[in-house]
Amino acid sequence: MSSIIQLLPDHVANQIAAGEVVQRPASVVKELVENAVDAGATEIKLIVKDAGKTLIQVIDNGKGMSETDARLCFERHATSKIRQAEDLFSLHTKGFRGEALASIAAIAHVELKTKQDQEELGTHLIIEGGKFISQDVAVLPKGTSFSVKNLFFNIPARRNFLKSDTVEFRHIVDDFERVALAHPNIHFVLTHNGSEMCNLPISNARQRIVNVFGGKTNEKLVPVSESTEIVEIQGFVGKPEFAKKNRGEQFFFVNNRFIKSPYLHHAIMAAYDGLLKDGSQPSYFLFLDVPPHTIDINIHPTKTEIKFDDDQSMYAIIRSSVKHSLGQFNVAPVLDFERDASLDIPYEYKDKESETPLIQVDANFNPFADEKPARSFSSSSGGSHAFGSGYKKESNQPGWESLYVGLTTATDEIDVKEIQFESEEVTGSLFEESAVETSSNKTYQLQKKYIVSPIKSGMLIISQKRAHQRILYEQFLTNITVHHAASQQLLFPLELHFSPSEMIMLKELRTSLENTGFVFSAMTTEIVVFTGLPSNVTESEVRPLLEELLHDLQGELPESSFSQSDRIAKSMARSLAVKTGAYLTEKEQENIVNALFACKEPNISPFNKPTFITLGVEDLDKRFAL
């Protein structure tokens, strides 16, 4: 019987490995940029075309590779980072598996140019789909230039599953920022389709954060510093008043490697306990330096998760460090028993006795000296007056009795029969009909969450939040597609600051946002200026609305314009809809009920959840049946 197990060819094995290592263009960016960092580069330039689908090029001024190393680096499990298994527990570099370049070369057209500093000539090497095409000697500058073209050209199924250029480029920016934040001592440049998107010069950690996320970030940061035997912590956390609804600006770096840790994130949230609104997320940029032998990096394919030897101690140290920093910089209330030296008594006054201040009183002061005496009750003092010689007793006498003349006779002559009153019949007909109509359509708010309205067959119970979402969703979708949204002009322009990566998405969404009622006055690399807003959006709601919109769209922005409009309408409806716990007047309740049943799809919310239920009389009868 013939055997059915056989070894896979190298090109097939490399393609399978590439599916694990290279999930999207951002994966290639991460591997190449990290290799440039490991090569000791002080300047790294990333050039991208069509969100990495056409070209990804990383140019560095690192130490470069020899001719042999340039050929050998594309072999599987070939690496310069480790020599034996024990080295896995003493890692000081980004990469160590030796799989990335082999996987990338198997699914793309790769061109490598590299030269070492002490060599006169470099190496120019071309690989297509894992096959060596050429290897030549060339005159090159010091360092390495790695070009990856036509990614997934031989795996069309994987290429078809890539998302739009906006989404893929957003993932590239995320990975680029993570490496750039961890290495402020390296100059990074990012170029997309010929336009320079980021230029981050060599700086300190705080300035690098400001360069990445915009100039307004500086005022939001609170420094954190702690040194223990287990971990040394440096970095910054955001002030509570600048917390956002999304988790975009949250970074943990362990030994200059970006990681994700829900456990340590919980420690940060515990430090902010009582300082944040519900649903808000603080920003933080924490750099943890731990002994390499106390962590295990090789537990996740993307190396973004780390296993600590002592998780509980890490949790406690991070929580206390962040809480101490918030209190030290007067962000959180703390008890401070230290003496304030500014309140001490100066030495020259220490032995002196206090002197009683002199009080001077003007005995001749009369506050009524300039007041005109025109008080009638002063005349009863037997002719004497207290308000000056100009007062005359008779000056206020004439004609005061005339005010009451004829008062008694007038009341006697009033004929009550001649007074005309509104007929009771008219008054009753004016209010009785409306009262009957109101009572039949009267609505009630239950637990500030539901609207209850009686109907002929029983009662209608409406979720105020979902109903309002449906109403706003159809309004925004109509405005975007028909282009007739109304705007309210602002008395003063509204200026908002965003990070450069967020500005990229806002420029993509500008047309759709204008169709909903936003009026853009100016857009720069970090600032957006509005002169008009949609009629149902207030100035205080603009920033949370746009932040939530960007958060909703950055991961799954569809390519078609209609789908993009649909996503924008859903996000804005969710942000602006009345929340659970909000009190509604009877008029507001009726408006929601009427507007809901005027919608095209009143039965479900934009997120496919029911907006109302009906409770019939028979259902109530069953409840009361014995």
Side-chain angles (χ1 to χ4, degrees):
M1 184 176 180
S2 61
S3 60
I4 59 175
I5 297 178
Q6 55 185 337
L7 294 175
L8 290 174
D10 288 342
H11 70 280
V12 177
N14 287 338
Q15 286 190 7
I16 295 174
E20 299 177 357
V21 178
V22 184
Q23 301 175 353
R24 58 191 345 138
S27 304
V28 177
V29 171
K30 177 178 181 294
E31 298 292 346
L32 297 184
V33 173
E34 287 182 348
N35 283 344
V37 172
D38 288 338
T42 58
E43 183 174 350
I44 300 175
K45 187 173 184 179
L46 171 62
I47 302 173
V48 179
K49 289 185 179 179
D50 299 330
K53 299 174 184 177
T54 302
L55 172 67
I56 299 174
Q57 184 177 8
V58 176
I59 305 172
D60 67 71
N61 62 350
K63 58 187 177 182
M65 290 183 285
S66 65
E67 182 179 356
T68 304
D69 289 341
R71 181 68 180 264
L72 193 60
C73 70
F74 291 100
E75 299 295 331
R76 291 192 65 191
H77 307 300
T79 178
S80 62
K81 313 298 176 59
I82 61 174
R83 290 288 183 267
Q84 52 190 356
E86 287 73 13
D87 294 340
L88 289 173
F89 301 97
S90 182
L91 289 172
H92 299 277
T93 57
K94 301 288 186 183
F96 52 87
R97 293 177 181 170
E99 296 177 339
L101 297 184
S103 300
I104 294 170
I107 56 174
H109 297 164
V110 177
E111 183 178 1
L112 173 62
K113 298 177 181 179
T114 183
K115 173 185 171 297
Q116 292 180 323
D117 192 19
Q118 65 272 17
E119 300 291 335
E120 294 183 359
L121 298 175
T123 303
H124 181 199
L125 190 146
I126 298 177
I127 302 177
E128 294 182 359
K131 298 179 181 179
F132 281 90
I133 304 299
S134 65
Q135 182 174 351
D136 302 316
V137 177
V139 177
L140 300 170
K142 173 197 171 184
T144 303
S145 173
F146 211 116
S147 300
V148 178
K149 304 175 183 177
N150 304 321
L151 190 65
F152 299 124
F153 80 99
N154 54 354
I155 311 178
R158 176 61 68 92
R159 188 177 181 91
N160 292 335
F161 272 95
L162 294 178
K163 296 186 180 295
S164 67
D165 287 356
T166 306
V167 175
E168 295 300 337
F169 183 65
R170 175 62 191 173
H171 285 286
I172 290 175
V173 172
D174 287 341
D175 283 306
F176 176 80
E177 289 177 349
R178 292 166 182 172
V179 180
L181 288 173
H183 299 278
N185 57 334
I186 301 177
H187 182 195
F188 288 91
V189 179
L190 170 60
T191 303
H192 184 223
N193 292 337
S195 301
E196 186 176 276
M197 310 304 296
C198 292
N199 192 333
L200 308 174
I202 296 176
S203 60
N204 56 27
R206 187 182 191 117
Q207 189 60 43
R208 175 57 56 89
I209 295 171
V210 173
N211 290 337
V212 171
F213 294 101
K216 297 290 286 186
T217 309
N218 190 36
E219 64 186 58
K220 307 176 184 179
L221 301 179
V222 175
V224 178
S225 179
E226 188 67 43
S227 181
T228 64
E229 296 180 355
I230 299 176
V231 60
E232 183 176 346
I233 303 175
Q234 299 290 333
F236 304 89
V237 294
K239 297 178 181 178
E241 59 264 29
F242 296 105
K244 299 181 178 180
K245 289 186 177 295
N246 59 65
R247 300 177 58 175
E249 299 178 3
Q250 296 180 347
F251 297 88
F252 277 117
F253 298 94
V254 176
N255 296 349
N256 288 333
R257 182 192 300 274
F258 172 78
I259 68 162
K260 297 178 181 178
S261 176
Y263 186 67
L264 298 185
H265 171 74
H266 190 274
I268 300 288
M269 298 302 293
Y272 277 90
D273 188 23
L275 300 176
L276 298 175
K277 298 179 181 178
D278 292 339
S280 297
Q281 294 286 335
S283 59
Y284 53 81
F285 311 86
L286 294 182
F287 301 84
L288 313 180
D289 190 6
V290 300
H293 65 273
T294 63
I295 57 175
D296 186 2
I297 301 173
N298 196 25
I299 65 171
H300 194 271
T302 60
K303 295 170 287 189
T304 55
E305 295 183 9
I306 288 181
K307 179 69 174 68
F308 295 94
D309 284 351
D310 193 350
D311 289 340
Q312 294 183 353
S313 297
M314 290 288 297
Y315 183 98
I317 294 172
I318 291 177
R319 178 182 177 275
S320 60
S321 300
V322 173
K323 200 171 187 65
H324 178 264
S325 295
L326 293 175
Q328 184 179 6
F329 290 91
N330 297 324
V331 176
V334 295
L335 292 176
D336 187 4
F337 296 102
E338 294 183 1
R339 177 175 53 84
D340 190 353
S342 63
L343 300 179
D344 290 346
I345 300 175
Y347 289 112
E348 60 268 20
Y349 291 96
K350 184 177 181 181
D351 298 326
K352 289 186 178 181
E353 295 183 358
S354 60
E355 298 179 359
T356 304
L358 297 177
I359 301 176
Q360 295 180 354
V361 179
D362 186 4
N364 297 323
F365 176 72
N366 183 4
F368 305 103
D370 297 332
E371 185 174 327
K372 294 182 179 180
R375 303 298 179 97
S376 60
F377 60 83
S378 300
S379 60
S380 61
S381 58
S384 63
H385 55 85
F387 302 113
S389 59
Y391 175 78
K392 293 184 179 180
K393 181 178 180 181
E394 294 79 15
S395 61
N396 217 16
Q397 285 287 340
W400 70 270
E401 298 92 345
S402 61
L403 296 173
Y404 304 99
V405 174
L407 187 60
T408 54
T409 57
T411 54
D412 296 339
E413 295 176 358
I414 294 177
D415 189 359
V416 182
K417 296 180 181 180
E418 295 181 358
I419 299 178
Q420 295 182 355
F421 296 95
E422 232 179 334
S423 64
E424 295 181 1
E425 182 179 355
V426 175
T427 305
S429 63
L430 180 62
F431 294 101
E432 283 178 2
E433 293 178 359
S434 62
V436 173
E437 183 180 351
T438 304
S439 63
S440 61
N441 297 328
K442 191 175 183 62
T443 58
Y444 305 91
Q445 190 179 24
L446 181 63
Q447 297 292 323
K448 295 182 181 179
K449 186 176 183 180
Y450 301 105
I451 299 174
V452 181
S453 177
I455 56 177
K456 290 183 179 180
S457 60
M459 68 174 63
L460 195 66
I461 304 177
I462 303 172
S463 172
Q464 64 185 36
K465 178 181 177 181
R466 295 180 184 177
H468 202 206
Q469 286 178 351
R470 164 55 63 177
I471 297 167
L472 294 176
Y473 166 71
E474 294 198 1
Q475 288 179 358
F476 286 128
L477 193 59
T478 302
N479 293 339
I480 294 174
T481 54
V482 184
H483 311 290
H484 74 282
S487 298
Q488 54 178 348
Q489 297 301 310
L490 299 176
L491 186 60
F492 301 101
L494 178 62
E495 184 177 296
L496 298 178
H497 293 257
F498 292 93
S499 66
S501 58
E502 292 174 333
M503 290 299 302
I504 296 173
M505 295 193 65
L506 283 176
K507 291 177 181 178
E508 296 280 343
L509 302 173
R510 177 170 180 171
T511 302
S512 298
L513 290 175
E514 287 177 339
N515 292 335
T516 62
F518 287 94
V519 179
F520 290 79
S521 174
M523 290 187 75
T524 65
T525 56
E526 294 184 5
I527 300 175
V528 183
V529 181
F530 296 102
T531 56
L533 303 176
S535 55
N536 53 351
V537 179
T538 61
E539 290 189 40
S540 60
E541 294 174 331
V542 176
R543 171 169 281 282
L545 170 65
L546 293 179
E547 287 178 351
E548 191 165 350
L549 175 62
L550 294 176
H551 175 66
D552 291 341
L553 299 180
Q554 68 180 3
E556 47 183 343
L557 184 64
E559 295 182 9
S560 63
S561 59
F562 177 77
S563 299
Q564 175 178 323
S565 303
D566 183 75
R567 291 287 302 167
I568 292 174
K570 285 182 178 178
S571 180
M572 293 180 64
R574 180 168 58 186
S575 299
L576 298 175
V578 61
K579 301 298 187 291
T580 299
Y583 171 75
L584 300 178
T585 63
E586 289 188 15
K587 189 65 176 177
E588 292 171 337
Q589 297 170 29
E590 293 176 5
N591 289 340
I592 288 181
V593 174
N594 295 334
L596 174 64
F597 291 101
C599 294
K600 295 180 180 179
E601 295 288 341
N603 297 329
I604 58 173
S605 72
F607 308 98
N608 296 323
K609 295 182 180 180
T611 57
F612 66 88
I613 61 172
T614 56
L615 194 61
V617 177
E618 61 276 7
D619 297 327
L620 296 175
D621 292 339
K622 291 179 182 178
R623 293 281 185 175
F624 287 100
L626 297 177

